PDB file of all heavy atoms in Angstrom:
ATOM      1  N   GLN A 885      96.224  86.537 -17.205  1.00 69.00           N
ATOM      2  CA  GLN A 885      96.454  85.730 -15.976  1.00 69.00           C
ATOM      3  C   GLN A 885      95.304  84.591 -15.983  1.00 69.00           C
ATOM      4  O   GLN A 885      94.391  84.678 -15.166  1.00 69.00           O
ATOM      5  CB  GLN A 885      96.392  86.515 -14.787  1.00 69.00           C
ATOM      6  CG  GLN A 885      97.507  87.523 -14.711  1.00 69.00           C
ATOM      7  CD  GLN A 885      97.585  88.267 -13.352  1.00 69.00           C
ATOM      8  OE1 GLN A 885      97.856  87.627 -12.403  1.00 69.00           O
ATOM      9  NE2 GLN A 885      97.303  89.486 -13.342  1.00 69.00           N
ATOM     10  N   PRO A 886      95.361  83.683 -16.967  1.00 73.00           N
ATOM     11  CA  PRO A 886      94.266  82.713 -17.051  1.00 73.00           C
ATOM     12  C   PRO A 886      94.036  81.874 -15.833  1.00 73.00           C
ATOM     13  O   PRO A 886      92.899  81.478 -15.449  1.00 73.00           O
ATOM     14  CB  PRO A 886      94.530  81.923 -18.276  1.00 73.00           C
ATOM     15  CG  PRO A 886      95.992  82.127 -18.514  1.00 73.00           C
ATOM     16  CD  PRO A 886      96.357  83.482 -17.989  1.00 73.00           C
ATOM     17  N   GLU A 887      95.215  81.449 -15.154  1.00 76.00           N
ATOM     18  CA  GLU A 887      95.061  80.601 -13.987  1.00 76.00           C
ATOM     19  C   GLU A 887      94.374  81.327 -12.924  1.00 76.00           C
ATOM     20  O   GLU A 887      93.453  80.733 -12.270  1.00 76.00           O
ATOM     21  CB  GLU A 887      96.451  80.035 -13.573  1.00 76.00           C
ATOM     22  CG  GLU A 887      97.132  79.171 -14.577  1.00 76.00           C
ATOM     23  CD  GLU A 887      97.905  79.996 -15.586  1.00 76.00           C
ATOM     24  OE1 GLU A 887      97.930  81.241 -15.513  1.00 76.00           O
ATOM     25  OE2 GLU A 887      98.495  79.364 -16.503  1.00 76.00           O
ATOM     26  N   LEU A 888      94.728  82.564 -12.531  1.00 72.00           N
ATOM     27  CA  LEU A 888      94.146  83.358 -11.557  1.00 72.00           C
ATOM     28  C   LEU A 888      92.655  83.633 -11.889  1.00 72.00           C
ATOM     29  O   LEU A 888      91.773  83.610 -11.029  1.00 72.00           O
ATOM     30  CB  LEU A 888      94.879  84.663 -11.376  1.00 72.00           C
ATOM     31  CG  LEU A 888      94.356  85.593 -10.233  1.00 72.00           C
ATOM     32  CD1 LEU A 888      94.295  84.908  -8.851  1.00 72.00           C
ATOM     33  CD2 LEU A 888      95.158  86.843 -10.219  1.00 72.00           C
ATOM     34  N   TRP A 889      92.381  83.979 -13.188  1.00 59.00           N
ATOM     35  CA  TRP A 889      91.025  84.199 -13.574  1.00 59.00           C
ATOM     36  C   TRP A 889      90.102  82.964 -13.308  1.00 59.00           C
ATOM     37  O   TRP A 889      89.021  83.072 -12.821  1.00 59.00           O
ATOM     38  CB  TRP A 889      90.908  84.503 -15.043  1.00 59.00           C
ATOM     39  CG  TRP A 889      89.572  84.782 -15.610  1.00 59.00           C
ATOM     40  CD1 TRP A 889      88.906  85.916 -15.626  1.00 59.00           C
ATOM     41  CD2 TRP A 889      88.590  83.742 -16.054  1.00 59.00           C
ATOM     42  NE1 TRP A 889      87.629  85.792 -16.090  1.00 59.00           N
ATOM     43  CE2 TRP A 889      87.473  84.432 -16.384  1.00 59.00           C
ATOM     44  CE3 TRP A 889      88.651  82.433 -16.179  1.00 59.00           C
ATOM     45  CZ2 TRP A 889      86.373  83.839 -16.876  1.00 59.00           C
ATOM     46  CZ3 TRP A 889      87.605  81.745 -16.743  1.00 59.00           C
ATOM     47  CH2 TRP A 889      86.437  82.383 -17.034  1.00 59.00           C
ATOM     48  N   THR A 890      90.686  81.720 -13.552  1.00 69.00           N
ATOM     49  CA  THR A 890      89.889  80.510 -13.381  1.00 69.00           C
ATOM     50  C   THR A 890      89.613  80.306 -11.908  1.00 69.00           C
ATOM     51  O   THR A 890      88.479  79.919 -11.546  1.00 69.00           O
ATOM     52  CB  THR A 890      90.756  79.321 -13.867  1.00 69.00           C
ATOM     53  OG1 THR A 890      90.962  79.457 -15.353  1.00 69.00           O
ATOM     54  CG2 THR A 890      89.997  77.987 -13.665  1.00 69.00           C
ATOM     55  N   VAL A 891      90.613  80.576 -11.043  1.00 70.00           N
ATOM     56  CA  VAL A 891      90.308  80.376  -9.583  1.00 70.00           C
ATOM     57  C   VAL A 891      89.288  81.370  -9.145  1.00 70.00           C
ATOM     58  O   VAL A 891      88.290  81.034  -8.422  1.00 70.00           O
ATOM     59  CB  VAL A 891      91.637  80.649  -8.845  1.00 70.00           C
ATOM     60  CG1 VAL A 891      91.346  80.778  -7.335  1.00 70.00           C
ATOM     61  CG2 VAL A 891      92.692  79.597  -9.109  1.00 70.00           C
ATOM     62  N   LEU A 892      89.313  82.632  -9.515  1.00 72.00           N
ATOM     63  CA  LEU A 892      88.367  83.642  -9.139  1.00 72.00           C
ATOM     64  C   LEU A 892      86.988  83.330  -9.626  1.00 72.00           C
ATOM     65  O   LEU A 892      85.946  83.506  -8.991  1.00 72.00           O
ATOM     66  CB  LEU A 892      88.796  85.030  -9.567  1.00 72.00           C
ATOM     67  CG  LEU A 892      90.076  85.560  -8.820  1.00 72.00           C
ATOM     68  CD1 LEU A 892      90.452  86.962  -9.395  1.00 72.00           C
ATOM     69  CD2 LEU A 892      89.812  85.669  -7.286  1.00 72.00           C
ATOM     70  N   ASP A 893      86.915  82.851 -10.882  1.00 68.00           N
ATOM     71  CA  ASP A 893      85.657  82.461 -11.501  1.00 68.00           C
ATOM     72  C   ASP A 893      85.042  81.299 -10.739  1.00 68.00           C
ATOM     73  O   ASP A 893      83.761  81.292 -10.523  1.00 68.00           O
ATOM     74  CB  ASP A 893      85.858  82.052 -12.970  1.00 68.00           C
ATOM     75  CG  ASP A 893      84.524  81.848 -13.697  1.00 68.00           C
ATOM     76  OD1 ASP A 893      83.818  82.779 -13.864  1.00 68.00           O
ATOM     77  OD2 ASP A 893      84.272  80.689 -14.111  1.00 68.00           O
ATOM     78  N   ARG A 894      85.814  80.406 -10.256  1.00 72.00           N
ATOM     79  CA  ARG A 894      85.280  79.257  -9.487  1.00 72.00           C
ATOM     80  C   ARG A 894      84.783  79.767  -8.154  1.00 72.00           C
ATOM     81  O   ARG A 894      83.709  79.321  -7.647  1.00 72.00           O
ATOM     82  CB  ARG A 894      86.343  78.220  -9.242  1.00 72.00           C
ATOM     83  CG  ARG A 894      85.985  76.990  -8.415  1.00 72.00           C
ATOM     84  CD  ARG A 894      87.148  76.035  -8.200  1.00 72.00           C
ATOM     85  NE  ARG A 894      86.716  74.919  -7.353  1.00 72.00           N
ATOM     86  CZ  ARG A 894      86.379  73.714  -7.764  1.00 72.00           C
ATOM     87  NH1 ARG A 894      86.428  73.507  -9.091  1.00 72.00           N
ATOM     88  NH2 ARG A 894      86.093  72.821  -6.907  1.00 72.00           N
ATOM     89  N   VAL A 895      85.492  80.661  -7.542  1.00 70.00           N
ATOM     90  CA  VAL A 895      85.006  81.233  -6.255  1.00 70.00           C
ATOM     91  C   VAL A 895      83.649  81.937  -6.455  1.00 70.00           C
ATOM     92  O   VAL A 895      82.829  81.808  -5.581  1.00 70.00           O
ATOM     93  CB  VAL A 895      86.145  82.268  -5.686  1.00 70.00           C
ATOM     94  CG1 VAL A 895      85.565  83.061  -4.598  1.00 70.00           C
ATOM     95  CG2 VAL A 895      87.298  81.500  -5.299  1.00 70.00           C
ATOM     96  N   ARG A 896      83.541  82.671  -7.526  1.00 75.00           N
ATOM     97  CA  ARG A 896      82.244  83.340  -7.835  1.00 75.00           C
ATOM     98  C   ARG A 896      81.107  82.375  -7.873  1.00 75.00           C
ATOM     99  O   ARG A 896      80.003  82.566  -7.434  1.00 75.00           O
ATOM    100  CB  ARG A 896      82.333  84.214  -9.047  1.00 75.00           C
ATOM    101  CG  ARG A 896      83.038  85.497  -8.847  1.00 75.00           C
ATOM    102  CD  ARG A 896      82.762  86.367 -10.136  1.00 75.00           C
ATOM    103  NE  ARG A 896      83.512  85.913 -11.279  1.00 75.00           N
ATOM    104  CZ  ARG A 896      84.741  86.199 -11.655  1.00 75.00           C
ATOM    105  NH1 ARG A 896      85.398  87.065 -10.921  1.00 75.00           N
ATOM    106  NH2 ARG A 896      85.270  85.690 -12.759  1.00 75.00           N
ATOM    107  N   ASP A 897      81.370  81.213  -8.504  1.00 73.00           N
ATOM    108  CA  ASP A 897      80.369  80.123  -8.630  1.00 73.00           C
ATOM    109  C   ASP A 897      79.948  79.596  -7.255  1.00 73.00           C
ATOM    110  O   ASP A 897      78.736  79.692  -6.929  1.00 73.00           O
ATOM    111  CB  ASP A 897      80.938  78.976  -9.396  1.00 73.00           C
ATOM    112  CG  ASP A 897      80.601  79.052 -10.889  1.00 73.00           C
ATOM    113  OD1 ASP A 897      79.652  79.730 -11.224  1.00 73.00           O
ATOM    114  OD2 ASP A 897      81.255  78.345 -11.651  1.00 73.00           O
ATOM    115  N   ILE A 898      80.867  79.127  -6.501  1.00 77.00           N
ATOM    116  CA  ILE A 898      80.521  78.406  -5.251  1.00 77.00           C
ATOM    117  C   ILE A 898      80.065  79.382  -4.223  1.00 77.00           C
ATOM    118  O   ILE A 898      79.520  78.910  -3.199  1.00 77.00           O
ATOM    119  CB  ILE A 898      81.689  77.495  -4.811  1.00 77.00           C
ATOM    120  CG1 ILE A 898      82.955  78.368  -4.527  1.00 77.00           C
ATOM    121  CG2 ILE A 898      81.988  76.478  -5.892  1.00 77.00           C
ATOM    122  CD1 ILE A 898      84.178  77.531  -4.013  1.00 77.00           C
ATOM    123  N   ARG A 899      80.364  80.728  -4.364  1.00 80.00           N
ATOM    124  CA  ARG A 899      79.852  81.561  -3.299  1.00 80.00           C
ATOM    125  C   ARG A 899      78.294  81.643  -3.422  1.00 80.00           C
ATOM    126  O   ARG A 899      77.628  81.749  -2.366  1.00 80.00           O
ATOM    127  CB  ARG A 899      80.374  83.041  -3.631  1.00 80.00           C
ATOM    128  CG  ARG A 899      79.906  84.087  -2.645  1.00 80.00           C
ATOM    129  CD  ARG A 899      80.341  85.508  -3.083  1.00 80.00           C
ATOM    130  NE  ARG A 899      81.780  85.509  -3.266  1.00 80.00           N
ATOM    131  CZ  ARG A 899      82.410  86.399  -3.994  1.00 80.00           C
ATOM    132  NH1 ARG A 899      81.667  87.322  -4.677  1.00 80.00           N
ATOM    133  NH2 ARG A 899      83.742  86.460  -4.059  1.00 80.00           N
ATOM    134  N   ARG A 900      77.754  81.414  -4.688  1.00 81.00           N
ATOM    135  CA  ARG A 900      76.242  81.493  -4.800  1.00 81.00           C
ATOM    136  C   ARG A 900      75.681  80.128  -4.467  1.00 81.00           C
ATOM    137  O   ARG A 900      74.594  80.034  -3.891  1.00 81.00           O
ATOM    138  CB  ARG A 900      76.013  81.842  -6.251  1.00 81.00           C
ATOM    139  CG  ARG A 900      76.436  83.264  -6.600  1.00 81.00           C
ATOM    140  CD  ARG A 900      76.070  83.565  -8.054  1.00 81.00           C
ATOM    141  NE  ARG A 900      76.363  84.942  -8.464  1.00 81.00           N
ATOM    142  CZ  ARG A 900      77.525  85.234  -9.090  1.00 81.00           C
ATOM    143  NH1 ARG A 900      78.368  84.303  -9.442  1.00 81.00           N
ATOM    144  NH2 ARG A 900      77.736  86.474  -9.362  1.00 81.00           N
ATOM    145  N   PHE A 901      76.394  79.014  -4.864  1.00 89.00           N
ATOM    146  CA  PHE A 901      75.947  77.719  -4.602  1.00 89.00           C
ATOM    147  C   PHE A 901      77.122  76.776  -4.823  1.00 89.00           C
ATOM    148  O   PHE A 901      77.912  76.923  -5.730  1.00 89.00           O
ATOM    149  CB  PHE A 901      74.862  77.292  -5.691  1.00 89.00           C
ATOM    150  CG  PHE A 901      74.214  76.011  -5.396  1.00 89.00           C
ATOM    151  CD1 PHE A 901      73.189  75.832  -4.489  1.00 89.00           C
ATOM    152  CD2 PHE A 901      74.555  74.872  -6.264  1.00 89.00           C
ATOM    153  CE1 PHE A 901      72.591  74.599  -4.229  1.00 89.00           C
ATOM    154  CE2 PHE A 901      73.967  73.674  -6.064  1.00 89.00           C
ATOM    155  CZ  PHE A 901      73.039  73.519  -5.039  1.00 89.00           C
ATOM    156  N   PRO A 902      77.239  75.743  -3.931  1.00 90.00           N
ATOM    157  CA  PRO A 902      78.443  74.938  -3.842  1.00 90.00           C
ATOM    158  C   PRO A 902      78.565  73.905  -5.035  1.00 90.00           C
ATOM    159  O   PRO A 902      78.507  72.700  -4.806  1.00 90.00           O
ATOM    160  CB  PRO A 902      78.408  74.227  -2.524  1.00 90.00           C
ATOM    161  CG  PRO A 902      76.974  74.100  -2.246  1.00 90.00           C
ATOM    162  CD  PRO A 902      76.414  75.357  -2.834  1.00 90.00           C
ATOM    163  N   GLU A 903      78.562  74.445  -6.325  1.00 90.00           N
ATOM    164  CA  GLU A 903      78.730  73.584  -7.472  1.00 90.00           C
ATOM    165  C   GLU A 903      79.494  74.339  -8.551  1.00 90.00           C
ATOM    166  O   GLU A 903      78.962  75.301  -9.175  1.00 90.00           O
ATOM    167  CB  GLU A 903      77.310  73.169  -7.990  1.00 90.00           C
ATOM    168  CG  GLU A 903      77.372  72.187  -9.046  1.00 90.00           C
ATOM    169  CD  GLU A 903      75.986  71.630  -9.445  1.00 90.00           C
ATOM    170  OE1 GLU A 903      75.074  72.360  -9.319  1.00 90.00           O
ATOM    171  OE2 GLU A 903      75.898  70.443  -9.859  1.00 90.00           O
ATOM    172  N   PRO A 904      80.682  74.001  -8.795  1.00 85.00           N
ATOM    173  CA  PRO A 904      81.559  74.676  -9.752  1.00 85.00           C
ATOM    174  C   PRO A 904      80.844  74.647 -11.125  1.00 85.00           C
ATOM    175  O   PRO A 904      80.269  73.713 -11.498  1.00 85.00           O
ATOM    176  CB  PRO A 904      82.819  73.844  -9.817  1.00 85.00           C
ATOM    177  CG  PRO A 904      82.886  73.179  -8.491  1.00 85.00           C
ATOM    178  CD  PRO A 904      81.476  72.868  -8.137  1.00 85.00           C
ATOM    179  N   ALA A 905      81.035  75.775 -11.839  1.00 84.00           N
ATOM    180  CA  ALA A 905      80.524  76.054 -13.183  1.00 84.00           C
ATOM    181  C   ALA A 905      79.031  76.312 -13.310  1.00 84.00           C
ATOM    182  O   ALA A 905      78.599  76.906 -14.270  1.00 84.00           O
ATOM    183  CB  ALA A 905      80.884  74.846 -14.120  1.00 84.00           C
ATOM    184  N   TYR A 906      78.232  75.809 -12.284  1.00 90.00           N
ATOM    185  CA  TYR A 906      76.803  75.999 -12.329  1.00 90.00           C
ATOM    186  C   TYR A 906      76.241  76.878 -11.290  1.00 90.00           C
ATOM    187  O   TYR A 906      75.130  77.340 -11.365  1.00 90.00           O
ATOM    188  CB  TYR A 906      76.138  74.586 -12.341  1.00 90.00           C
ATOM    189  CG  TYR A 906      76.503  73.700 -13.475  1.00 90.00           C
ATOM    190  CD1 TYR A 906      77.403  72.712 -13.342  1.00 90.00           C
ATOM    191  CD2 TYR A 906      75.962  73.986 -14.811  1.00 90.00           C
ATOM    192  CE1 TYR A 906      77.792  71.940 -14.409  1.00 90.00           C
ATOM    193  CE2 TYR A 906      76.328  73.161 -15.825  1.00 90.00           C
ATOM    194  CZ  TYR A 906      77.201  72.172 -15.607  1.00 90.00           C
ATOM    195  OH  TYR A 906      77.619  71.338 -16.681  1.00 90.00           O
ATOM    196  N   GLY A 907      76.982  77.067 -10.123  1.00 90.00           N
ATOM    197  CA  GLY A 907      76.515  77.806  -8.996  1.00 90.00           C
ATOM    198  C   GLY A 907      75.983  79.205  -9.397  1.00 90.00           C
ATOM    199  O   GLY A 907      75.072  79.711  -8.814  1.00 90.00           O
ATOM    200  N   ARG A 908      76.622  79.823 -10.394  1.00 89.00           N
ATOM    201  CA  ARG A 908      76.256  81.182 -10.844  1.00 89.00           C
ATOM    202  C   ARG A 908      74.844  81.295 -11.371  1.00 89.00           C
ATOM    203  O   ARG A 908      74.335  82.333 -11.517  1.00 89.00           O
ATOM    204  CB  ARG A 908      77.231  81.641 -11.913  1.00 89.00           C
ATOM    205  CG  ARG A 908      77.049  80.908 -13.261  1.00 89.00           C
ATOM    206  CD  ARG A 908      78.144  81.274 -14.237  1.00 89.00           C
ATOM    207  NE  ARG A 908      79.383  80.848 -13.742  1.00 89.00           N
ATOM    208  CZ  ARG A 908      80.546  81.562 -13.995  1.00 89.00           C
ATOM    209  NH1 ARG A 908      80.573  82.656 -14.603  1.00 89.00           N
ATOM    210  NH2 ARG A 908      81.663  81.100 -13.471  1.00 89.00           N
ATOM    211  N   TRP A 909      74.214  80.137 -11.664  1.00 92.00           N
ATOM    212  CA  TRP A 909      72.821  80.216 -12.249  1.00 92.00           C
ATOM    213  C   TRP A 909      71.838  80.486 -11.124  1.00 92.00           C
ATOM    214  O   TRP A 909      70.698  80.897 -11.475  1.00 92.00           O
ATOM    215  CB  TRP A 909      72.506  78.858 -12.913  1.00 92.00           C
ATOM    216  CG  TRP A 909      71.437  78.968 -13.898  1.00 92.00           C
ATOM    217  CD1 TRP A 909      71.064  80.039 -14.752  1.00 92.00           C
ATOM    218  CD2 TRP A 909      70.554  77.953 -14.327  1.00 92.00           C
ATOM    219  NE1 TRP A 909      70.060  79.713 -15.604  1.00 92.00           N
ATOM    220  CE2 TRP A 909      69.674  78.415 -15.369  1.00 92.00           C
ATOM    221  CE3 TRP A 909      70.398  76.607 -13.926  1.00 92.00           C
ATOM    222  CZ2 TRP A 909      68.664  77.667 -15.918  1.00 92.00           C
ATOM    223  CZ3 TRP A 909      69.421  75.867 -14.464  1.00 92.00           C
ATOM    224  CH2 TRP A 909      68.586  76.335 -15.478  1.00 92.00           C
ATOM    225  N   ARG A 910      72.200  80.309  -9.924  1.00 94.00           N
ATOM    226  CA  ARG A 910      71.206  80.439  -8.814  1.00 94.00           C
ATOM    227  C   ARG A 910      70.407  81.738  -8.804  1.00 94.00           C
ATOM    228  O   ARG A 910      69.167  81.733  -8.716  1.00 94.00           O
ATOM    229  CB  ARG A 910      71.918  80.167  -7.427  1.00 94.00           C
ATOM    230  CG  ARG A 910      70.960  80.328  -6.278  1.00 94.00           C
ATOM    231  CD  ARG A 910      71.558  80.085  -4.967  1.00 94.00           C
ATOM    232  NE  ARG A 910      70.632  80.116  -3.865  1.00 94.00           N
ATOM    233  CZ  ARG A 910      70.864  79.793  -2.644  1.00 94.00           C
ATOM    234  NH1 ARG A 910      72.102  79.399  -2.295  1.00 94.00           N
ATOM    235  NH2 ARG A 910      70.014  79.873  -1.706  1.00 94.00           N
ATOM    236  N   PRO A 911      71.029  82.963  -8.783  1.00 94.00           N
ATOM    237  CA  PRO A 911      70.222  84.176  -8.681  1.00 94.00           C
ATOM    238  C   PRO A 911      69.245  84.271  -9.768  1.00 94.00           C
ATOM    239  O   PRO A 911      68.036  84.678  -9.554  1.00 94.00           O
ATOM    240  CB  PRO A 911      71.322  85.224  -8.749  1.00 94.00           C
ATOM    241  CG  PRO A 911      72.549  84.607  -8.279  1.00 94.00           C
ATOM    242  CD  PRO A 911      72.502  83.189  -8.845  1.00 94.00           C
ATOM    243  N   ALA A 912      69.666  83.976 -11.005  1.00 94.00           N
ATOM    244  CA  ALA A 912      68.708  84.121 -12.188  1.00 94.00           C
ATOM    245  C   ALA A 912      67.609  83.095 -12.063  1.00 94.00           C
ATOM    246  O   ALA A 912      66.387  83.426 -12.377  1.00 94.00           O
ATOM    247  CB  ALA A 912      69.430  83.898 -13.521  1.00 94.00           C
TER     248      ALA A 912
END
């Protein structure tokens, strides 16, 4: 389910910081 995976991956990003693809870097 690549489309659903992409949506959820984007949500994980912006939950940490409002910037797709890079928000996940914030905790580290």
Side-chain angles (χ1 to χ4, degrees):
Q885 301 189 63
E887 295 85 0
L888 180 57
W889 180 92
T890 299
V891 171
L892 293 176
D893 187 66
R894 180 185 177 97
V895 169
R896 282 192 292 268
D897 264 343
I898 61 177
R899 181 187 303 159
R900 297 180 177 99
F901 185 77
E903 187 172 31
Y906 300 101
R908 69 187 64 216
W909 201 32
R910 178 180 183 172

